[in-house]
């Protein structure tokens, strides 16, 4: 076995031990790196979208200059070129990182919940896609099909290239890219992001919570089907990735009604097949611990942004591996010493017994999310200090 | 009209009851003075919402819904309002700073500031220092509010405050920065007068400045 493969297996096992709530040989460090890689390398989102090799160079520098045990993605995480081929979407890349422009995606009416509930796939295919994407709005049927076929080829190419780049990270750097191409928002998030927008869903949660809950539930089976369509085999180095963002905005009782049942059902279905699930619990989830402690044991690595990790570990540590810890603000504005001090405290309090993975508190998206020298100092400190 | 009940119902986000009460009120063909009191009761309802938020009983979704509720309340009252003499407590130029497209927090702050009686000039998202300077020159506000979610917003905020300084406008306005990445340290570096990541608290700070 080559050195790189040995390193790869070590890292996969280190993360697996942590997720399965055992104490690994040392505290794993997860590379929560996204568009930060571009500015760190000295390129831009616009340039990288045109040149896969450049994209790889940028991401491989950002992911291998630091001793990460695993990483979120091998490249720019969203298939923007595919979106552009459909005639645009709610994403904007005129800035240095991918951002969603809010207030543009209320494209479903509240009266349409029943149609969504009756058959989500049919409703989205027949009603929403033609409303959303320009290519379905003009030209003959043949022209629409041709444009759609072109878009699909761009999407498939994105998938193939992403897989190819992950393989290169494995063989060239021994670095697991845990992303298996299954990046999901939960049904409640999808209704917010793509169908009702922010104001719309907040109103629906107050005025017709039953409809929202039913619609979410109706979307679970198609999502599970989609997940295992993309993820044919189960392996220790590939996880399902979930990014959750509605729950931080609503009350616990509302979460219990509209979001939790479908979320729980999806996670249980995936975990039952032996797949690990990486979840980004955005913002603060403290008011929701009593629910998420019921997620399947030893299957989830939960990244927390603004929660007190010590409290999170206490409440959830028997269920899931807790990840996160170092504020991006400290990584950029703080000193090396400050970052190391924070890391030391976290390791002292959270590492014993396992179930802890070190990472920044947020995905590194822009150049101000981390100073490289701070990231380097703190990760190298952990390699040394976090070992048994 | 039971003003304290109206305040309470807005605080509880009971839209149906609020709309019913206001429609009944408008049907009595009230005087501008009576309407003024009702508007004030609605505004007090928004402070109740802010208090619930600060106590952790309400969440961002509640603030958004409250903003919508207040907008519909004012729409119902408009025909009987004396818009000429509405009177504001102060004015502010507000915007999400360059490089950042997030507007949810800004919009919440805006509706709460308006509810508190401020005239708000909302520049929108991704606004440069030049745009802020231009608007401040034009409307001469009491307050400038800079919003952002990404860490890069901090740099843009600094640029904007510097540009206000260079244009000789900094001493005429109070600057408040808001959003996810703002901290005490960031506030000092940026040379803002106040910072907050809580819209309700932000409005209270602004009220103190004009009070």
């Amino acid at each position: 076995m080559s050195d790189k493969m040995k390193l790869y297996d070590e890292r996969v096992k280190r993360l697996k031990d942590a997720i399965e709530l055992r104490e690994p040989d040392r505290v794993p460090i997860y590379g929560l790196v996204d568009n930060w890689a571009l500015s760190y390398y000295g390129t831009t989102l616009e340039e990288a979208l045109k040149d896969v090799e450049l994209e790889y160079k940028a991401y491989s520098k950002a992911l291998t200059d630091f001793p990460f045990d695993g990483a979120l993605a091998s490249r720019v995480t969203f298939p923007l070129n595919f979106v552009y081929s459909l005639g645009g979407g709610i994403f904007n890349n005129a800035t240095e990182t991918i951002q969603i422009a809010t207030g543009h995606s209320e494209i479903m009416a509240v009266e349409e919940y029943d149609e969504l509930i009756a058959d989500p796939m049919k409703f989205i295919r027949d009603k929403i896609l033609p409303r959303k994407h320009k290519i379905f709005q003009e030209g003959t049927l043949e022209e629409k099909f041709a444009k759609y076929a072109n878009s699909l080829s761009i999407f498939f190419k994105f998938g193939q290239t992403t897989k190819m780049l992950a393989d290169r990270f494995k063989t060239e750097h021994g670095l697991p890219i845990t992303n298996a191409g299954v990046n999901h928002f939960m049904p409640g998030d999808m209704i917010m992001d793509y169908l009702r927008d922010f104001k719309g869903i907040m109103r629906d949660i107050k005025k017709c919570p039953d409809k929202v809950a039913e619609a979410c539930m109706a979307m679970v089976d198609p999502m599970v089907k989609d997940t295992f369509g993309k993820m044919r085999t189960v392996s220790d180095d590939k996880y399902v990735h979930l990014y959750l963002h509605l729950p931080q905005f609503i009350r616990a009782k509302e979460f219990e009604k509209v979001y939790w049942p479908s979320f729980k059902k999806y996670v249980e279905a995936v975990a039952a097949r032996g797949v690990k699930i990486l979840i980004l619990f955005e913002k603060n989830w403290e008011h929701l611990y009593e629910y998420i402690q019921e997620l399947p044991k030893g299957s989830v690595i939960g990244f927390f942004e603004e929660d007190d990790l010590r409290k999170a570990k206490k409440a959830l540590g028997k269920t899931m591996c807790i990840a996160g810890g170092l504020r991006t603000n400290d990584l950029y504005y703080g000193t090396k010493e400050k970052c190391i001090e924070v890391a030391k405290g976290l390791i002292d309090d959270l590492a014993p017994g396992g179930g802890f993975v070190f990472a920044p508190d947020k995905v590194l998206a822009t150049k101000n999310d981390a100073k490289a020298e701070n990231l380097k100092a703190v990760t190298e400190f952990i390699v040394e200090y976090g070992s048994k | 009209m039971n003003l304290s009940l109206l305040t309470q119902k807005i605080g509880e986000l009971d839209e149906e009851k609020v709309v019913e009460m206001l429609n009944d009120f408008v049907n009595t063909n009230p005087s501008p003075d009576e309407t003024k009191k009702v508007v004030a009761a609605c505004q007090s309802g928004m402070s109740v919402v802010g208090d619930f938020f600060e106590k952790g009983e309400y969440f961002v979704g509640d603030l958004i819904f409250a903003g919508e509720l207040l907008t519909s309340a004012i729409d119902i009252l408009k025909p009987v309002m004396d818009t000429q003499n509405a009177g504001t407590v102060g004015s502010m130029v507000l915007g999400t700073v360059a490089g950042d497209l997030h507007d949810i927090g800004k919009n919440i702050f805006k509706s709460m500031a308006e509810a508190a009686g401020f005239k708000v000039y909302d520049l929108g998202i991704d606004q440069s220092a030049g745009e802020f300077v231009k608007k401040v020159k034009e409307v001469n506000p009491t307050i400038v509010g800079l919003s952002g979610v990404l860490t890069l917003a901090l740099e843009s905020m600094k640029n904007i405050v510097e540009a206000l300084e260079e244009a000789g406008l900094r001493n005429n306005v109070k600057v408040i920065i808001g959003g996810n990445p703002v901290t005490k340290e960031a506030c000092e570096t940026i040379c803002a007068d106040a910072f907050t990541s809580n819209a309700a608290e932000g409005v209270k700070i602004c009220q103190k400045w004009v009070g």
Side-chain angles (χ1 to χ4, degrees):
Chain A
M1 187 188 278
S2 76
D3 285 355
K4 296 292 181 207
M5 281 304 104
K6 197 164 158 274
L7 183 62
Y8 189 82
D9 290 346
E10 266 174 34
R11 286 168 161 170
V12 170
K13 181 172 186 307
R14 189 170 293 138
L15 282 163
K16 186 181 187 215
D17 283 344
I19 298 173
E20 292 181 350
L21 309 176
R22 291 185 298 272
E23 196 166 312
D25 60 340
R26 76 162 161 76
V27 173
I29 308 168
Y30 196 86
L32 217 52
V33 172
D34 197 346
N35 293 167
W36 182 81
L38 302 170
S39 56
Y40 176 59
Y41 182 78
T43 186
T44 61
L45 186 56
E46 204 186 340
E47 283 170 1
L49 287 175
K50 286 185 210 141
D51 180 354
V52 175
E53 197 54 33
L54 174 68
E55 203 178 345
Y56 178 69
K57 278 185 188 155
Y59 276 76
S60 60
K61 180 167 171 57
L63 292 178
T64 62
D65 276 2
F66 312 94
F68 295 133
D69 292 302
L72 195 66
S74 56
R75 62 183 310 192
V76 175
T77 45
F78 201 82
L80 282 173
N81 289 327
F82 165 63
V83 175
Y84 298 150
S85 75
L86 291 166
I90 51 175
F91 296 88
N92 180 314
N93 74 330
T95 51
E96 64 175 272
T97 180
I98 299 174
Q99 295 179 48
I100 290 178
T102 56
H104 299 286
S105 52
E106 192 176 328
I107 52 176
M108 171 188 142
V110 67
E111 295 77 26
E112 290 177 309
Y113 269 108
D114 287 332
E115 275 185 76
L116 175 65
I117 292 162
D119 189 341
M121 297 304 277
K122 183 172 185 290
F123 176 69
I124 290 168
R125 183 192 64 213
D126 296 347
K127 293 278 174 72
I128 295 300
L129 293 182
R131 255 178 233 171
K132 186 175 166 72
H133 297 298
K134 271 207 188 90
I135 62 164
F136 301 117
Q137 291 159 6
E138 49 204 33
T140 63
L141 195 60
E142 286 76 15
E143 283 165 349
K144 287 178 191 171
F145 265 111
K147 283 181 188 162
Y148 187 52
N150 172 54
S151 295
L152 281 184
S153 73
I154 294 172
F155 183 73
F156 289 135
K157 197 174 158 205
F158 178 84
Q160 282 164 357
T161 313
T162 304
K163 190 177 174 309
M164 181 268 286
L165 293 179
D167 288 342
R168 278 180 72 181
F169 273 99
K170 180 176 180 175
T171 52
E172 292 171 22
H173 304 291
L175 180 70
I177 304 291
T178 62
N179 198 322
V182 185
N183 299 287
H184 269 315
F185 303 112
M186 286 294 91
D189 299 316
M190 293 180 67
I191 295 175
M192 174 163 89
D193 288 352
Y194 299 115
L195 301 175
R196 296 284 296 144
D197 214 305
F198 221 91
K199 279 186 189 170
I201 194 159
M202 292 308 159
R203 162 162 280 276
D204 301 344
I205 289 171
K206 302 281 183 213
K207 308 300 284 185
C208 52
D210 292 319
K211 295 281 181 205
V212 181
E214 266 186 82
C216 288
M217 218 46 179
M219 288 162 79
V220 175
D221 288 342
M223 286 177 86
V224 171
K225 209 171 151 190
D226 173 79
T227 300
F228 292 107
K230 287 174 181 156
M231 211 173 189
R232 296 288 167 93
T233 53
V234 174
S235 60
D236 284 339
D237 59 344
K238 296 292 174 199
Y239 316 153
V240 160
H241 287 199
L242 306 180
Y243 313 96
L244 312 183
H245 44 270
L246 174 63
Q248 58 179 309
F249 300 118
I250 58 179
R251 301 181 205 174
K253 285 288 161 204
E254 294 169 334
F255 172 81
E256 180 182 322
K257 172 114 192 158
V258 303
Y259 193 99
W260 173 235
S262 54
F263 168 38
K264 186 170 183 243
K265 187 179 172 194
Y266 175 84
V267 171
E268 283 174 348
V270 172
R273 302 270 286 260
V275 177
K276 299 277 185 281
I277 304 152
L278 179 153
I279 304 182
L280 254 63
F281 292 98
E282 291 184 5
K283 291 282 271 189
N284 194 305
W285 279 64
E286 204 178 315
H287 64 302
L288 303 172
Y289 288 163
E290 74 170 277
Y291 303 100
I292 56 175
Q293 67 178 352
E294 289 174 22
L295 289 172
K297 192 180 167 193
S299 296
V300 174
I301 171 169
F303 287 80
F304 290 88
E305 285 191 351
E306 292 178 6
D307 296 61
D308 176 339
L309 285 197
R310 290 166 177 88
K311 273 193 199 167
K313 177 101 193 268
K314 206 169 163 204
L316 304 168
K318 288 193 177 72
T319 299
M320 69 176 77
C321 170
I322 306 296
L326 190 53
R327 290 167 59 210
T328 51
N329 245 329
D330 286 338
L331 269 176
Y332 190 76
Y333 292 98
T335 59
K336 280 186 210 173
E337 291 72 25
K338 162 97 190 194
C339 294
I340 288 171
E341 187 195 315
V342 172
K344 183 173 178 298
L346 289 167
I347 290 170
D348 290 345
D349 294 344
L350 303 178
F356 173 60
V357 167
F358 188 87
D361 67 343
K362 294 184 179 67
V363 175
L364 303 183
T366 79
K367 72 174 192 304
N368 298 34
D369 284 339
K371 224 178 246 170
E373 59 189 72
N374 285 356
L375 190 59
K376 187 139 185 96
V378 78
T379 49
E380 284 175 357
F381 166 79
I382 294 167
V383 169
E384 203 178 304
Y385 188 76
S387 297
K388 261 187 195 167
Chain B
M1 165 67 90
N2 182 339
L3 294 175
S4 60
L5 183 67
L6 178 63
T7 299
Q8 184 196 331
K9 289 296 162 193
I10 290 204
E12 289 168 5
L13 305 177
D14 185 344
E15 186 181 50
E16 265 168 55
K17 185 72 189 166
V18 169
V19 169
E20 184 199 310
M21 286 178 86
L22 293 178
N23 279 327
D24 288 349
F25 170 73
V26 170
N27 287 337
T28 63
N29 204 13
S31 71
D33 268 357
E34 285 171 305
T35 308
K36 219 172 169 179
K37 283 182 193 148
V38 170
V39 172
C42 292
Q43 291 171 335
S44 305
M46 283 298 273
S47 330
V48 174
V49 171
D51 291 342
F52 279 133
F53 180 72
E54 285 192 55
K55 277 189 239 158
E57 286 176 37
Y58 280 9
F59 289 79
V60 168
D62 298 299
L63 299 185
I64 291 173
F65 187 70
E68 298 277 285
L69 177 56
L70 188 79
T71 308
S72 31
I74 300 297
D75 282 346
I76 297 172
L77 293 171
K78 257 185 195 146
V80 292
M81 269 165 86
D82 177 7
T83 42
Q84 295 298 313
N85 299 311
T88 59
V89 297
S91 62
M92 68 173 77
V93 168
L94 177 68
T96 299
V97 301
D100 202 321
L101 307 177
H102 295 85
D103 63 357
I104 292 162
K106 171 185 71 69
N107 292 347
I108 291 171
F109 176 76
K110 180 187 172 188
S111 58
M112 297 189 81
E114 283 177 340
F118 284 94
K119 167 88 189 144
V120 181
Y121 299 92
D122 183 3
L123 294 177
I125 55 173
D126 194 15
Q127 291 298 309
S128 67
E131 293 300 324
F132 273 96
V133 167
K134 201 169 117 195
K135 197 71 187 175
V136 169
K137 272 187 188 156
E138 183 193 323
V139 302
N140 192 24
T142 333
I143 294 164
V144 173
L146 307 175
S147 171
V149 166
L150 303 172
T151 51
L152 62 79
L154 298 179
E155 222 160 79
S156 296
M157 288 174 181
K158 194 168 186 337
N159 293 339
I160 293 165
V161 175
E162 279 170 8
L164 290 171
E165 179 84 54
E166 278 166 31
L169 299 165
R170 179 67 184 88
N171 293 335
N172 308 339
V173 292
K174 288 279 193 184
V175 175
I176 182 166
I177 57 173
N180 222 24
V182 303
T183 56
K184 186 167 169 284
E185 293 79 19
C187 184
E188 282 163 13
T189 315
I190 290 163
C191 298
D193 296 298
F195 74 98
T196 183
S197 51
N198 173 335
E201 184 194 60
V203 172
K204 282 189 184 160
I205 294 169
C206 294
Q207 281 173 317
K208 267 188 210 145
W209 284 340
V210 296

